[in-house]
């Protein structure tokens, strides 16, 4: 168990304004692409492992 | 109170164990995260040093407000976070450390990290695969990249991906 120690002179603040529709779409697109990338990576690893077995 | 609050109270609160660190002594204290009660809102006002309007945040049904407290000391709120469960991730509307945990004279370290790690955990629990998004202030974008492993794209938008979420959860929550 550890801590993320933020610098003493920096406080974690987010911009509290609501997301626009465009921003929401951009986030969803990013997440979708990132998931696909992760899935492709997993498939490549699995394939390599299978090739090693054979 | 919105429709998600009761569910979260039932499933989340008692299982969280993590810690924050007293700057002066270096002592660590186990913490817990729970839903903010309406009665506690009275003291969370600008007059008492809080920067954001949490009363207004509390009124919005799509948002859930969570408080971080030290185990055994539930009346002292160390920090707050406002979260909304979206279809594919959790959106972080607001996060704020208690007035005594802000600036160079802050009492405890680790408040925001605890709260963000909790948001990641919630995202996994709600089918968001750990993804978190938020809008960052320009000057803090690099800080979030360094400390949280967040990814910056398009304007001020930031996303914490599954991989970074797992790392954050690993730091804060006992397995």
């Amino acid at each position: 168990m550890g801590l993320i120690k933020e610098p003493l002179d920096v406080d974690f603040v987010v911009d509290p304004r609501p997301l626009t529709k465009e921003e929401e779409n951009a986030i969803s697109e990013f997440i979708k692409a990132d998931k696909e990338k992760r899935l492709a990576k997993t498939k490549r690893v699995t394939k390599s492992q299978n090739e090693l077995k054979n | 109170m919105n429709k998600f609050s009761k569910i979260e109270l039932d499933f989340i609160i008692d299982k969280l164990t993590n810690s924050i660190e007293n700057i002066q002594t270096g002592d660590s204290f186990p913490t817990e995260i729970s839903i903010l009660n309406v009665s506690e809102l009275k003291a969370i006002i600008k007059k008492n040093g809080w920067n954001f309007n949490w009363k207004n945040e509390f009124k919005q049904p799509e948002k859930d407000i969570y408080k971080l407290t030290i185990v055994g000391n539930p009346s002292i709120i160390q920090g707050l976070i406002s979260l909304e469960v979206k279809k594919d991730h959790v959106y972080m509307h607001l996060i704020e450390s208690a007035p005594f945990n802000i600036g160079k004279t802050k009492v405890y370290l680790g408040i925001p990290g605890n709260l963000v790690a909790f948001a990641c955990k919630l995202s996994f629990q709600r089918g968001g695969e750990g993804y978190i998004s938020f809008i960052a202030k320009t000057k803090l974008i690099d800080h979030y990249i360094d400390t949280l492993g967040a990814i910056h794209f398009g304007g001020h938008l930031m996303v914490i991906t599954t991989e970074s979420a797992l790392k954050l959860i690993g730091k804060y929550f006992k397995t």
Side-chain angles (χ1 to χ4, degrees):
Chain A
M1 188 164 48
L3 285 172
I4 296 169
K5 293 185 180 177
E6 66 274 17
L8 288 179
D9 57 345
V10 176
D11 295 304
F12 192 111
V13 181
V14 295
D15 191 335
R17 70 171 172 81
L19 286 172
T20 63
K21 201 71 199 162
E22 287 75 25
E23 286 171 334
E24 268 197 51
N25 290 339
I27 290 168
S28 286
E29 286 302 313
F30 176 87
I31 289 173
K32 195 178 160 193
D34 191 70
K35 281 181 185 175
E36 283 169 1
K37 202 167 77 181
R38 192 154 38 90
L39 196 67
K41 204 172 158 185
T42 312
K43 276 182 183 169
R44 274 203 304 274
V45 171
T46 312
K47 199 178 170 188
S48 308
Q49 284 172 342
N50 285 339
E51 282 168 357
L52 279 173
K53 281 178 190 172
N54 297 329
Chain B
M1 196 171 283
N2 71 38
K3 62 181 176 179
F4 294 120
S5 302
K6 286 178 185 171
I7 296 168
E8 284 159 355
L9 274 169
D10 287 339
F11 287 97
I12 299 168
I13 297 165
D14 292 337
K15 294 185 178 176
L16 300 175
T17 307
N18 33 32
S19 67
I20 54 176
E21 186 179 302
N22 185 295
I23 288 178
Q24 294 295 323
T25 64
D27 293 335
S28 288
F29 296 89
T31 57
E32 57 192 1
I33 292 177
S34 51
I35 288 279
L36 184 74
N37 299 316
V38 68
S39 60
E40 293 167 317
L41 269 176
K42 287 177 205 161
I44 304 167
I45 50 176
K46 295 203 174 187
K47 194 180 148 191
N48 289 343
W50 292 87
N51 285 314
F52 294 108
N53 187 342
W54 288 95
K55 196 174 179 182
N56 186 49
E57 199 73 6
F58 194 86
K59 283 179 188 168
Q60 299 175 57
E62 73 277 16
K63 301 175 186 177
D64 292 316
I65 318 292
Y66 296 90
K67 61 180 177 184
L68 179 82
T69 55
I70 290 174
V71 172
N73 194 0
S75 59
I76 308 291
I77 294 172
Q78 303 291 338
L80 293 170
I81 191 167
S82 169
L83 300 173
E84 179 179 349
V85 178
K86 302 267 189 188
K87 65 176 179 3
D88 53 0
H89 73 288
V90 166
Y91 180 66
M92 187 161 61
H93 280 279
L94 265 185
I95 181 169
E96 185 177 7
S97 296
F100 55 86
N101 285 327
I102 285 178
K104 290 180 179 176
T105 57
K106 67 176 78 168
V107 179
Y108 292 103
L109 286 174
I111 308 296
N114 269 265
L115 290 166
V116 175
F118 169 75
C120 294
K121 200 169 192 287
L122 183 71
S123 175
F124 275 110
Q125 289 168 335
R126 297 301 181 84
E129 297 185 31
Y131 286 97
I132 299 293
S133 76
F134 59 95
I135 302 172
K137 299 270 188 191
T138 310
K139 65 173 184 174
L140 293 174
I141 287 171
D142 288 341
H143 173 63
Y144 300 148
I145 293 169
D146 292 341
T147 57
L148 300 173
I151 291 172
H152 173 226
F153 74 102
H156 292 183
L157 291 180
M158 302 210 79
V159 167
I160 296 174
T161 62
T162 305
E163 286 176 347
S164 295
L166 284 171
K167 284 179 190 167
L168 285 171
I169 292 169
K171 277 179 186 284
Y172 283 93
F173 296 95
K174 285 180 179 173
T175 52

